[in-house]
């Protein structure tokens, strides 16, 4: 009556556990997650992997007795928690939370268990906890002992292969079911057996398995462990020695360095079809230690290689610095010498060794120290180079006054961090002296040209005037008149040559060709020049064509006539005999275009790039002939046109002759204007 009054008969512990299986799992999972805090796993199944079976086993044990408890389940749970990094207290806390969840669920239902069931449930839970804790502790001690022995194997710093074989030997000594073990390292796109112990050791060493092939290669590709129950008969096992040895269980897992695959490790047994959780856990620990040693060995190898490369680079740098005829130095942020070659050290009157670690002020005691320090600090402050700094002072090497050119530049790492400042110092004393001597010779030559030009003009004017008066005599016969014409042509040509020499001297002596602009008519200027030249060359047709009405502009009339005279005479010299020289004037909005053309052989292509250079002719010299010109006429034309801010160009082609085109701006263009 009392039982029915309180809601029916009391359930057994087994009935309660089965009826509340899912609710207890949810309660326990929430409690453990809250307890774990920052150790919350990535996926919930990892947390409750063994608990559903544990609750079922507890229910069976309440009905059938303690012998129904599966010890393998408790060992697997202990191994899983140990592999996850739990400590003994956290494992005990899990079971304490499970006990609390069961009691809370009973209280919430307000129904008591059958008499004695709660006590038996408590005792069964205590039995599970005790055995799980014992398994956990024994496995942890076993792993610690194995790791201690593995640490002893590394004390004498063995090579990689020896170290890995020692670690595998410690595994076999601690796991009696393991008959063979090996480590395969990833080399290129294949796994290569580099260390092996136990069965088939000699046969498998050096064997290669392409990534993606066989059970090992596929596991490496997918970065996951693998298990084979019967290796001797499984076709996925590619190593014949393992099959012929009659292996049963074969277990392997990837060796990882973070996300990077280092290789694979496997262990095999000829007596067992499966490894115990304790053996698998121990193998995981050995594999992790092996992966750590492999990664560390690779790191040491890279560091050693980098150190050797750095030493080689420094040796090459030192050799280069010492062999360089240029002074070179590197200084840090405090302007202390890090490196210096012998050339610059000798200029500082100190050996190379004395500079290292010393400041600029300690090593350079000349009056140039202030200038050098300012430049170096400017580089450090701005990060920009300072170039072409001239230094003058006593040369301790040659025992005389010297001149040097110094360049200072920032020294940075590949990622842009400023390490210090570098400097190069070049001795330019001899260069400067040679430059001064050359300039002196050039000045003397051009002054001589100017003096000769002035001194030759006076007697030439007298000859020209006398020839003009002589040509007016009425009684001259034909041969005499021809002689007078030759004298006038020669004096005209000499006058042009002297004018060109004087203009060349003015341009090279720095004064430039002077111009005096005034408003003039281009047609009148050109017609006057052609009339004068027609008198000198009466046998040659000189024609002027005008296109347009407005041909006025602001030009220097003397320079315009000089340009046209040089171009027409040049055209006469290179045209075919008796062919005309045509001068064309065209009016445009901004310019007046002057074009002088003749019918003759084209200018050789190799002369065109330097046609307007001084002392360059417009024709190649022919064997057995003398030069007929100084080669200054076209240079003077170019200079005069540039002063007027115009442009000159040449067009030459077979069967079309040669034409020079000059554009004369009517008014001076604004500053910065580029002529077409």
């Amino acid at each position: 009556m009392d039982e029915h009054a309180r809601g029916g008969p009391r359930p057994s512990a087994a009935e309660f556990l089965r009826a509340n299986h899912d609710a207890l799992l949810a309660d326990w999972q929430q409690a453990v997650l809250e307890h774990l805090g920052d150790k919350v796993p990535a996926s919930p199944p990892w947390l409750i992997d063994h608990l559903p079976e544990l609750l079922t086993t507890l229910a069976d044990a309440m009905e059938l007795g303690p012998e129904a408890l599966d010890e393998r389940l408790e060992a697997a749970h202990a191994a899983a928690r140990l592999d996850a990094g739990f400590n003994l207290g956290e494992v005990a806390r899990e079971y304490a939370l499970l006990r609390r969840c069961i009691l809370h669920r009973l209280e919430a239902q307000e129904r008591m268990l059958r008499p004695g069931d709660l006590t038996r449930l408590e005792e069964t839970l205590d039995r599970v906890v005790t055995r799980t804790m014992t398994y956990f502790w024994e496995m942890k001690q076993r792993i610690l002992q194995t790791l201690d022995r593995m640490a002893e194997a590394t004390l004498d710093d063995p090579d990689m292969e020896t170290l890995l074989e020692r670690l595998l030997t410690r595994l076999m000594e601690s796991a009696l079911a393991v008959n063979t073990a090996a480590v395969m390292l990833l080399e290129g796109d294949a796994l290569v057996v580099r260390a092996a112990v136990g069965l088939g050791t000699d046969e498998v060493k050096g064997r290669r398995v392409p990534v993606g092939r066989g059970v090992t290669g596929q596991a490496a590709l997918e970065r996951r462990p693998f298990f084979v129950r019967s290796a001797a008969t499984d076709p996925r096992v590619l190593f014949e020695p393992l099959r012929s040895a009659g292996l049963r269980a074969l277990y392997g897992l990837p060796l990882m360095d973070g996300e990077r695959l280092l290789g694979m490790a496997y262990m095999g047994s000829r007596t067992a079809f499966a490894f115990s959780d304790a053996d698998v856990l121990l193998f995981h620990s050995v594999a992790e230690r092996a992966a750590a040693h492999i990664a560390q060995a690779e790191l040491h190898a890279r560091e050693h290689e980098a150190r050797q490369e750095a030493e080689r680079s420094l040796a090459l740098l030192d050799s280069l610095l010492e062999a360089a005829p240029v002074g070179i130095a590197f200084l840090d942020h405090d302007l202390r010498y890090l490196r210096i070659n012998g050339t610059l050290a000798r200029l500082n009157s100190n050996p190379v060794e004395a500079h290292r670690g010393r400041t600029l002020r300690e090593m350079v005691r000349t009056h140039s120290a202030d200038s050098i320090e300012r430049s170096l600090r400017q580089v450090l402050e701005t990060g920009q180079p300072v170039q072409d700094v001239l230094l003058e002072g006593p040369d301790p090497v040659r025992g005389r006054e010297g001149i040097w050119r110094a360049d200072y530049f920032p020294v940075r790492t590949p990622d842009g961090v400023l390490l210090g400042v570098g400097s190069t110092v070049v001795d330019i004393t001899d260069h400067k002296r040679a430059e001064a001597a050359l300039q002196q010779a050039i000045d003397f030559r051009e002054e001589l040209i100017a003096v000769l030009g002035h001194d030759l003009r006076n007697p030439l004017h007298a000859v020209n005037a006398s020839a003009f008066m002589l040509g007016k005599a009425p009684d001259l016969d034909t041969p005499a008149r021809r002689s007078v014409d030759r004298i006038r042509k020669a004096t005209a040509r000499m006058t042009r040559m002297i004018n060109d020499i004087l203009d060349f001297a003015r341009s090279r002596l720095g004064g430039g060709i002077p111009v005096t602009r005034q408003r003039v008519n281009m047609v009148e200027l050109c017609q006057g020049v052609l009339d004068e030249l027609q008198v000198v060359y009466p046998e040659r047709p000189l024609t002027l064509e005008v296109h347009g009405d407005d041909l006025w502009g602001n030009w220097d009339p003397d320079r315009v006539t000089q340009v046209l005279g040089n171009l027409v005479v040049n055209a006469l010299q290179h045209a075919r005999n008796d062919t005309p020289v045509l001068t064309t004037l065209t009016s445009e909005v901004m310019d007046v275009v002057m074009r002088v053309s003749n019918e003759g052989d084209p200018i050789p292509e190799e002369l065109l790039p330097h046609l307007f250079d001084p002392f360059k002719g417009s024709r190649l010299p022919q064997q057995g002939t003398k030069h007929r010109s100084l080669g200054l006429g076209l240079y003077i034309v170019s200079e005069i046109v540039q002063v007027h801010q115009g442009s000159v160009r040449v067009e030459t082609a077979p069967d079309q002759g040669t034409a020079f085109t000059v554009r004369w701006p009517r008014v001076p263009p604004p500053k910065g204007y580029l002529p077409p």
Side-chain angles (χ1 to χ4, degrees):
M1 294 289 293
D2 293 339
E3 290 178 354
H4 289 286
R6 289 198 297 254
R10 296 181 181 183
S12 67
E15 293 172 342
F16 169 78
L17 292 175
R18 292 192 179 101
N20 295 275
H21 183 276
D22 294 339
L24 288 173
L25 283 178
D27 294 344
W28 178 83
Q29 183 179 0
Q30 182 62 34
V32 173
L33 288 175
E34 293 175 356
H35 169 67
L36 287 176
D38 60 351
K39 288 188 178 181
V40 175
S43 60
W46 172 89
L47 183 61
I48 62 172
D49 49 1
H50 299 94
L51 194 64
E53 296 179 70
L54 176 60
L55 289 177
T56 301
T57 301
L58 282 176
D60 293 342
M62 295 305 297
E63 288 182 342
L64 305 176
E67 61 275 5
L69 292 174
D70 189 350
E71 295 184 7
R72 292 175 300 176
L73 180 62
E74 297 157 10
H77 185 77
R81 292 304 185 252
L82 185 58
D83 191 37
F86 278 44
N87 58 42
L88 194 61
E90 289 171 330
V91 176
R93 181 64 176 171
E94 279 189 302
Y95 286 102
L97 291 173
L98 177 60
R99 190 191 305 269
R100 190 179 69 180
C101 290
I102 292 173
L103 295 176
H104 284 178
R105 180 62 58 177
L106 285 170
E107 291 177 0
Q109 294 184 1
E110 297 182 355
R111 298 180 67 187
M112 301 296 294
L113 297 178
R114 292 177 182 176
D117 270 16
L118 183 57
T119 301
R120 288 192 301 114
L121 178 59
E122 293 273 10
E123 291 174 350
T124 305
L125 274 174
D126 289 341
R127 187 187 299 270
V128 172
V129 172
T130 301
R131 288 203 305 214
T132 303
M133 302 289 283
T134 301
Y135 290 138
F136 185 93
W137 179 254
E138 289 176 349
M139 283 188 285
K140 186 168 186 177
Q141 289 300 110
R142 183 185 179 195
I143 291 174
L144 290 175
Q145 291 173 2
T146 304
L147 293 179
D148 286 340
R149 297 180 64 195
M150 291 170 62
E152 293 174 0
T154 65
L155 293 178
D156 57 348
D157 194 21
D159 59 70
M160 174 62 67
E161 183 176 331
T162 301
L163 174 61
L164 293 177
E165 289 183 351
R166 288 180 182 179
L167 297 181
L168 296 175
T169 300
R170 300 301 186 269
L171 169 67
M172 291 186 60
E173 291 172 351
S174 301
L176 299 180
V178 178
N179 301 118
T180 185
V183 171
M184 309 171 70
L185 298 184
L186 181 64
E187 298 179 7
D189 58 352
L191 297 166
V192 183
V193 179
R194 290 304 180 195
V197 295
L199 297 175
T201 298
D202 296 333
E203 292 84 352
V204 300
K205 270 192 177 181
R207 291 287 189 93
R208 300 173 63 87
V209 174
V211 174
R213 286 194 57 194
V215 63
T216 308
Q218 189 64 32
L221 182 64
E222 298 174 1
R223 309 293 203 270
R224 60 168 178 79
F226 71 86
F227 172 70
V228 176
R229 183 173 179 81
S230 180
T233 59
D234 197 315
R236 297 176 300 164
V237 178
L238 301 182
F239 290 163
E240 179 60 31
L242 298 183
R243 293 200 299 270
S244 61
L247 284 185
R248 294 179 176 177
L250 184 65
Y251 181 80
L253 72 162
L255 303 176
M256 305 296 295
D257 178 26
E259 298 297 324
R260 185 169 65 96
L261 178 69
L262 301 176
M264 293 289 295
Y266 69 79
M267 64 176 178
S269 175
R270 193 162 56 179
T271 59
F273 285 102
F275 292 104
S276 67
D277 293 317
D279 288 343
V280 172
L281 183 60
L282 181 62
F283 184 58
H284 276 249
S285 300
V286 173
E288 288 178 3
R289 183 61 59 91
H293 282 298
I294 293 171
Q296 187 177 21
E298 289 183 350
L299 179 61
H300 287 168
R302 287 196 295 269
E303 289 178 350
H304 180 68
E305 183 178 352
R307 191 180 302 110
Q308 286 186 326
E309 181 62 28
E311 291 174 355
R312 286 194 296 268
S313 299
L314 289 176
L316 289 174
L317 177 61
D318 289 338
S319 299
L320 176 63
L321 291 177
E322 194 57 36
V326 178
I328 304 174
F330 299 100
L331 300 91
D332 62 14
H333 289 270
D334 297 324
L335 298 187
R336 295 183 180 275
Y337 285 96
L338 300 176
R339 257 181 170 72
I340 189 172
N341 69 343
T343 302
L344 187 53
R346 286 188 290 273
L347 292 178
N348 292 343
S349 302
N350 285 291
V352 172
E353 295 76 14
H355 284 77
R356 291 174 181 165
R358 307 289 292 277
T359 64
L360 173 75
R361 286 290 183 176
E362 292 174 318
M363 294 291 101
V364 181
R365 300 185 179 277
T366 64
H367 68 278
S368 301
D370 292 337
S371 172
I372 297 173
E373 183 173 357
R374 281 196 302 271
S375 298
L376 293 174
R377 294 200 180 280
Q378 180 179 341
V379 173
L380 292 174
E381 292 170 2
T382 65
Q384 300 298 319
V386 176
Q387 298 176 320
D388 296 332
V389 179
L390 290 182
L391 304 174
E392 299 184 22
D395 186 344
V397 178
R398 300 188 180 184
R400 64 182 186 186
E401 290 295 311
I403 304 174
W404 298 270
R405 190 196 72 197
D407 295 293
Y408 309 104
F409 52 90
V411 179
R412 303 180 185 275
T413 62
D415 54 356
V417 178
L418 184 64
L419 297 177
V421 60
S423 67
T424 59
V425 179
V426 182
D427 188 348
I428 58 173
T429 305
D430 294 338
H431 172 76
K432 284 293 185 181
R433 291 181 177 179
E435 189 180 74
L438 178 62
Q439 187 61 46
Q440 185 178 6
I442 292 174
D443 293 344
F444 174 76
R445 183 194 70 183
E446 294 181 350
E447 288 178 7
L448 178 62
I449 290 174
V451 171
L452 289 176
H454 280 290
D455 291 347
L456 286 175
R457 287 179 99 179
N458 292 332
L460 189 60
H461 284 319
V463 172
N464 191 40
S466 299
F468 177 78
M469 296 300 297
L470 186 61
K472 295 292 186 180
D475 55 349
L476 286 178
D477 56 13
T478 299
R481 190 167 299 281
R482 290 177 179 173
S483 297
V484 172
D485 289 340
R486 284 197 296 270
I487 293 173
R488 296 189 63 186
K489 288 181 180 180
T491 55
R493 186 157 60 91
M494 289 183 64
T495 300
R496 287 193 299 274
M497 293 172 62
I498 292 174
N499 289 336
D500 288 345
I501 290 174
L502 290 176
D503 287 335
F504 173 75
R506 290 191 190 100
S507 66
R508 288 305 178 94
L509 290 175
I513 296 179
V515 295
T516 303
R517 293 177 182 269
Q518 53 184 287
R519 184 168 177 77
V520 293
N521 186 287
M522 183 67 75
V523 178
E524 296 176 358
L525 293 177
C526 294
Q527 189 63 62
V529 173
L530 295 178
D531 290 344
E532 292 180 4
L533 291 174
Q534 191 68 75
V535 174
V536 179
Y537 299 94
E539 74 283 1
R540 305 294 296 276
L542 303 179
T543 307
L544 176 65
E545 292 184 0
V546 179
H547 302 283
D549 298 329
D550 183 9
L551 284 97
W552 288 82
N554 292 323
W555 308 295
D556 186 323
D558 293 335
R559 295 304 180 184
V560 171
T561 57
Q562 187 177 359
V563 167
L564 181 59
N566 283 357
L567 291 178
V568 171
V569 171
N570 182 75
L572 288 170
Q573 291 175 350
H574 299 295
R576 288 192 291 270
N577 292 335
D578 299 330
T579 59
V581 172
L582 175 63
T583 301
T584 303
L585 296 177
T586 303
S587 175
E588 293 185 358
V589 177
M590 302 297 296
D591 306 324
V592 171
V593 181
M594 174 190 293
R595 180 183 174 89
V596 178
S597 58
N598 68 351
E599 299 177 10
D601 296 331
I603 300 173
E605 186 176 352
E606 59 268 28
L607 296 182
L608 291 177
H610 305 286
L611 192 61
F612 296 99
D613 293 347
F615 305 110
K616 301 291 184 181
S618 58
R619 289 291 185 272
L620 293 172
Q622 298 180 358
Q623 187 175 2
T625 62
K626 297 182 179 180
H627 290 291
R628 300 179 59 192
S629 172
L630 289 174
L632 290 175
L634 294 180
Y635 169 76
I636 299 301
V637 167
S638 175
E639 291 292 308
I640 293 174
V641 172
Q642 288 184 27
V643 172
H644 283 81
Q645 294 171 283
S647 65
V648 58
R649 72 175 189 272
V650 62
E651 300 171 272
T652 182
D655 301 327
Q656 295 182 10
T658 301
F660 286 84
T661 302
V662 181
R663 303 187 72 88
W664 298 94
R666 297 179 186 273
V667 295
K671 189 175 181 180
Y673 172 78
L674 296 177

